[in-house]
Amino acid sequence: MADCIFCKIAAGEIPSNKAYEDDKVLAFYDLDPQAPTHILVIPKEHIKSAAEIDETNSALIAHVFEVAAKLAKELGLDNGFRVVTNCGESAGQSVHHIHFHLLGGRDFTWPPG
Ligand code: DGP
């Protein structure tokens, strides 16, 4: 998508601090970290939000979760971590390219605010 910031990051047109990359998925450090470890894991393909997950893209989303688990292991988040996706306005989604926040390195409360 021409005006999507995460499509531009995925294409390398906007620089990012990468944690992982393959042909389908990119993981990069969030510019406004909410935990000692805060990485965004995205499919390179433009999917707007979790509301658009269906049988045509669910294998790709499963791959996103494989990458999140691999990163959590590599980064030593053995005490626990959180994977969050904000979907839509009420949930606070500000970038409309699906992304999964991988957060770790501190304790988290439940329910989230
Ligand atoms: P959300 O509110 O769930 O849509 O999260 C969007 C996140 O994306 C937010 O934590 C800040 C981050 N973000 C926005 N623009 C950029 C950017 O250009 N680079 C990086 N690294 N992170 C960004």
Side-chain angles (χ1 to χ4, degrees), residues 55-69:
E55 68 282 359
T56 69
N57 57 29
S58 55
L60 175 57
I61 299 302
H63 182 48
V64 165
F65 274 83
E66 283 176 30
V67 170

Side-chain angles (χ1 to χ4, degrees), residues 5-6 9 14-17 28-34 38 40 84-87 91-97 99 101:
I5 192 163
F6 284 2
I9 287 175
I14 293 177
S16 65
N17 186 6
F28 56 99
Y29 285 86
D30 196 295
L31 57 68
D32 182 23
Q34 302 301 315
H38 187 170
L40 301 173
V84 181
T85 189
N86 296 319
C87 178
Q93 184 179 7
S94 61
V95 178
H96 297 276
H97 178 129
H99 50 281
H101 298 258

